[in-house]
């Protein structure tokens, strides 16, 4: 965006960033900072798009295209101005299918669930200025044990002890710069970065409003766009304000081989994020399970 050619569609880039937030926590590796998140509102410039014919003449955008651009700009304005939003992502990557649901605000508070495949499934709570809490599913912990067992008895025993401590508990992970090798910074749930990655429609993008349909339990207006090998449909509310409720994209080639699909779901606009630290009896400090500040895997599988 911002005048630079995009190698991937803006929605695909945003989905990849959202997944990175969750998988960073899911694998418990260092991949971010605790920098303070700020948000500055902006304005959307009105752009009247025109197409060039074979004779070099410009033709006005059709009524459906003009309406599609107007709805897309308004939908992005509502997303950018929202204090909170829940974003669900279901996407195929080089590592396989990844799913994530995060309810986040602009202060880096968030709650959600993540599923990035074997050993990387669970839920998380992130509290701005505090800590991140990650709880792996029992199935993920079992998969960690199975992987460790295949690598020898010494590792198997170490992972068995650590997964036993973690079962049913939240791992408390300090955020911020590492101090004496103890703290583990993790990526924040950054709604500002996410909306920045999405950006706004560029002047040469053709966005067409299609007839209203029923989706996500409500009436929506599909906005269709095809550009640079990516087919994208954005669904906005058909009545009231055109909040973006979902996105479906199909990308051919690019960073991935073959066709890839991605869906995003937006909901709970401006609903408070219930990011509350679990009770002390439900948490285990990460230092108790042998995690240092090197950024390596917590369970070393």
């Amino acid at each position: 965006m911002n005048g630079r050619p995009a190698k991937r569609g803006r929605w695909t880039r945003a989905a990849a960033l959202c997944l990175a937030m969750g998988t960073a926590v899911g694998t418990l590796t260092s991949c971010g900072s605790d920098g303070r998140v700020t948000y500055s509102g902006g304005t959307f410039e009105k752009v009247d798009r025109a197409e060039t014919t074979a004779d070099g003449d410009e033709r006005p955008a059709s009524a459906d295209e003009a309406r599609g651009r107007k709805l897309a700009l308004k939908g992005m304005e509502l997303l950018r101005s929202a204090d909170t939003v829940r974003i669900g992502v279901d996407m195929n990557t080089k590592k396989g299918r990844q799913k994530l649901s995060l309810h986040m605000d602009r202060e880096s508070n968030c709650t959600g669930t993540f599923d990035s495949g074997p050993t990387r499934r669970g839920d998380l709570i992130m509290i701005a200025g505090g800590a991140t809490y990650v709880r792996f599913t029992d199935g993920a912990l079992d998969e960690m044990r199975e992987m460790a067992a295949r690598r020898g008895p010494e590792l198997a025993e170490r992972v068995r002890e650590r997964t036993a401590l973690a079962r049913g508990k939240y791992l408390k992970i300090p955020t911020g710069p590492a101090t004496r090798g103890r703290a583990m910074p993790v990526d924040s749930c950054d709604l500002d970065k996410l909306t920045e990655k999405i950006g706004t429609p560029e002047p040469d993008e053709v966005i067409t409003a299609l007839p209203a349909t029923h989706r996500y339990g409500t009436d929506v207006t599909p906005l269709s766009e095809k550009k640079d090998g990516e087919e994208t449909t954005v669904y906005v509310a058909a009545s009231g304000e055109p909040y973006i409720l979902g996105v479906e994209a199909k990308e051919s080639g690019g960073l991935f081989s073959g066709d890839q699909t991605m869906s995003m779901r937006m909901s709970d606009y401006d609903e408070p994020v219930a990011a509350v630290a679990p009770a002390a009896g439900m948490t285990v400090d990460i230092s108790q399970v042998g995690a240092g500040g090197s950024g390596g895997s917590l369970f070393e599988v």
Side-chain angles (χ1 to χ4, degrees):
M1 306 303 296
N2 300 323
R4 293 187 297 271
K7 295 183 179 180
R8 305 171 67 185
R10 59 181 181 274
W11 293 102
T12 308
R13 294 196 308 272
L17 174 63
C18 197
L19 286 170
M21 295 175 186
T23 56
V25 176
T27 55
L28 294 178
T29 57
S30 172
C31 43
S33 70
D34 67 334
R36 190 174 182 180
V37 178
T38 60
Y39 175 71
S40 58
T43 59
F44 292 85
E45 295 182 359
K46 182 178 179 181
V47 180
D48 292 324
R49 191 195 62 78
E51 287 188 351
T52 302
T53 66
D55 297 328
D57 298 325
E58 289 187 344
R59 71 164 179 83
S62 69
D64 288 337
E65 292 169 2
R67 181 166 175 257
R69 172 167 289 279
K70 180 179 179 180
L71 289 172
L73 288 170
K74 182 59 177 178
M76 276 307 307
E77 182 180 0
L78 292 168
L79 179 59
R80 284 180 177 274
S81 63
D83 292 327
T84 73
V85 66
R86 184 184 302 278
I87 298 181
V89 178
D90 189 340
M91 185 177 180
N92 288 316
T93 72
K94 291 183 292 184
K95 297 181 179 180
R97 187 177 182 181
Q98 298 187 52
K99 299 173 67 176
L100 178 73
S101 176
L102 292 176
H103 190 199
M104 66 184 84
D105 64 19
R106 296 192 182 277
E107 302 298 329
S108 291
N109 295 294
C110 81
T111 63
T113 60
F114 58 94
D115 183 349
S116 299
T119 76
R120 301 176 184 179
R121 301 184 179 97
D123 57 89
L124 63 94
I125 302 169
M126 182 175 289
I127 300 174
T132 298
Y133 300 86
V134 178
R135 180 172 61 181
F136 289 103
T137 65
D138 287 346
L141 293 174
D142 291 340
E143 289 163 346
M144 293 177 193
R145 287 190 177 194
E146 292 170 4
M147 292 178 66
R150 293 194 292 268
R151 296 182 58 183
E154 183 177 346
L155 179 60
E157 177 61 20
R158 183 162 63 248
V159 171
R160 186 194 67 77
E161 293 176 353
R162 294 178 179 179
T163 54
L165 283 173
R167 192 171 297 272
K169 300 291 183 67
Y170 282 93
L171 298 172
K172 181 179 180 180
I173 310 167
T175 56
T179 304
R180 297 181 182 178
R182 305 297 292 178
M184 265 185 96
V186 296
D187 205 350
S188 63
C189 294
D190 196 329
L191 185 54
D192 289 321
K193 285 185 179 180
L194 188 71
T195 52
E196 180 183 347
K197 280 289 184 181
I198 296 175
T200 57
E202 295 180 352
D204 62 342
E205 293 182 60
V206 180
I207 303 172
T208 306
L210 303 179
T213 186
H214 197 75
R215 203 176 186 87
Y216 315 121
T218 189
D219 291 334
V220 296
T221 300
L223 308 179
S224 177
E225 176 191 1
K226 295 182 180 181
K227 183 181 180 183
D228 298 332
E230 181 174 348
E231 300 177 19
T232 305
T233 303
V234 177
Y235 297 92
V236 300
S239 60
E241 296 281 22
Y243 282 96
I244 297 172
L245 302 181
V247 182
E248 293 183 356
K250 180 179 180 180
E251 185 181 50
S252 299
L255 290 180
F256 308 119
S257 58
D259 293 339
Q260 303 295 321
T261 59
M262 178 278 293
S263 64
M264 296 180 73
R265 177 81 167 89
M266 281 77 161
S267 61
D268 296 337
Y269 280 86
D270 293 325
E271 291 293 325
V273 175
V276 179
M282 288 292 295
T283 66
V284 176
D285 192 283
I286 197 170
S287 63
Q288 296 182 30
V289 285
S294 62
S297 171
L298 172 62
F299 297 104
E300 301 177 12
V301 176

